[in-house]
Amino acid sequence: MAEKTSLVEIAFNVPVGGVFTYSVPPDMTVVKGCRVLAPFGRRTLTGYVVADGVDAPGGSIKIRAVERVLDSAPIFDDGLLELAKWTAGMYLCSLGEALSVMIPGARKESPLGTEIFELDEIRVRHELSPHQQAAFEQVTAVPGGMYYLFGVTGSGKTEVFLRIAETTLQESRSVIYLVPEIALTHQLIDSLKGRFGKTLAVIHSRLTPSQKLAEWRRIAAGDARFVVGARSAVFAPVVDLGLIIIDEEHESSYKSGSTPRYHARQIAMRRRSTSGAR
């Protein structure tokens, strides 16, 4: 009796709804969460495997085969897949388009080595003002909740953010810190490196796809638990999300100008509600 062919469902970064069934060659291992190359019409496209071990569709449809596997291990889990489905429904795009904005675009495996941040100096920690202390205590009193921190420039909001982040890390949970793209300066990154060391991961538009994928894998493995970045960092695959900070939340750069036209604030609120984060 012939061996049963393994089938998977794949979503592509095209404005077409639904997913597509492909067969897996006997010498290939394809699991949910990986990227593959597969024929789509007359082209070969990168696709995202959203289900494996599926049943064959009905009728006499010819099922085409996956050509190549791009990842040796999944790059998104069930939680991110559910977030992508929600994003697709919320912003009226295909599942593949939602996944494409979440997943780094590198087509080759990246080395998992990363920069280690050496702490060369002892940072002086100043006492919080009464207003800062009150805000810090209110936010950290419970593990979840939504808060709006208001203060004029120079009033110390960032220090409150970072104290709350430190508390979250001490709880063995992870942090996503969103800033406008223009705020991702060397000064900010160097300051955060000095404070959070090798647990910090940075995601921004100036990284190459391979660099983004390396950071993505480090975050997903739990090696980096504090993620700082612009809009797309809201999708970072952190382990046990405990806090999302949206600095300068009124900035227009948090709204994507291309499909999917998501707003990072709404994605953050969705992730907070499903993870119980602050």
Side-chain angles (χ1 to χ4, degrees), residues 13 48 95-105 259-260:
N13 182 18
Y48 310 103
L95 177 58
E97 288 174 316
L99 285 168
S100 71
V101 77
M102 296 169 60
I103 306 298
T259 303

Side-chain angles (χ1 to χ4, degrees), residues 79-95 97-103 146 176 178 216 230-238 241 243-246 249 253-256 258-278:
L80 288 178
L81 177 57
E82 288 302 315
L83 180 62
K85 292 177 179 178
W86 180 88
T87 300
M90 180 71 175
Y91 299 105
L92 304 179
C93 65
S94 71
L95 177 58
E97 288 174 316
L99 285 168
S100 71
V101 77
M102 296 169 60
I103 306 298
M146 290 191 294
I176 295 176
L178 301 179
W216 182 275
R231 181 177 62 229
S232 64
V234 73
F235 296 110
V238 295
L241 178 61
L243 172 68
I244 304 177
I245 301 165
I246 310 178
E249 176 267 349
S253 61
Y254 286 123
K255 175 73 165 66
S256 171
S258 57
T259 303
R261 297 180 183 275
Y262 70 92
H263 198 300
R265 180 187 61 232
Q266 292 175 310
I267 301 294
M269 292 172 67
R270 173 66 180 182
R271 293 199 72 177
R272 188 216 67 80
S273 68
T274 57
S275 65
R278 300 181 178 108

Side-chain angles (χ1 to χ4, degrees), residues 128-198:
L128 297 180
S129 71
H131 284 160
Q132 287 176 311
Q133 185 66 30
F136 168 78
E137 291 178 357
Q138 182 174 348
V139 174
T140 56
V142 293
M146 290 191 294
Y147 304 88
Y148 183 80
L149 188 62
F150 175 79
V152 298
T153 301
S155 60
K157 298 186 295 298
T158 300
E159 183 60 29
V160 176
F161 292 157
L162 299 184
R163 293 288 181 99
I164 297 168
E166 288 173 338
T167 297
T168 303
L169 294 174
Q170 290 166 5
E171 296 168 344
S172 298
R173 298 196 294 167
S174 297
V175 177
I176 295 176
Y177 182 15
L178 301 179
V179 297
E181 182 75 42
I182 58 173
L184 270 175
T185 62
H186 289 298
Q187 182 179 3
L188 171 65
I189 295 171
D190 289 344
S191 175
L192 292 175
K193 286 179 181 178
R195 190 157 180 164
F196 295 97
K198 63 182 180 181

Side-chain angles (χ1 to χ4, degrees), residues 26-92:
D27 60 344
M28 189 180 295
T29 300
V30 177
V31 297
K32 182 169 64 172
C34 291
R35 295 168 304 158
V36 297
L37 290 179
F40 188 85
R42 297 182 178 181
R43 300 175 290 169
T44 296
L45 301 180
T46 298
Y48 310 103
V49 180
V50 298
D52 52 17
V54 301
D55 295 328
S60 57
I61 300 174
K62 180 180 179 181
I63 298 177
R64 305 172 80 177
V66 171
E67 294 182 0
R68 182 183 166 198
V69 182
L70 298 179
D71 302 299
S72 57
I75 61 173
F76 62 87
D77 58 16
D78 289 341
L80 288 178
L81 177 57
E82 288 302 315
L83 180 62
K85 292 177 179 178
W86 180 88
T87 300
M90 180 71 175
Y91 299 105
L92 304 179

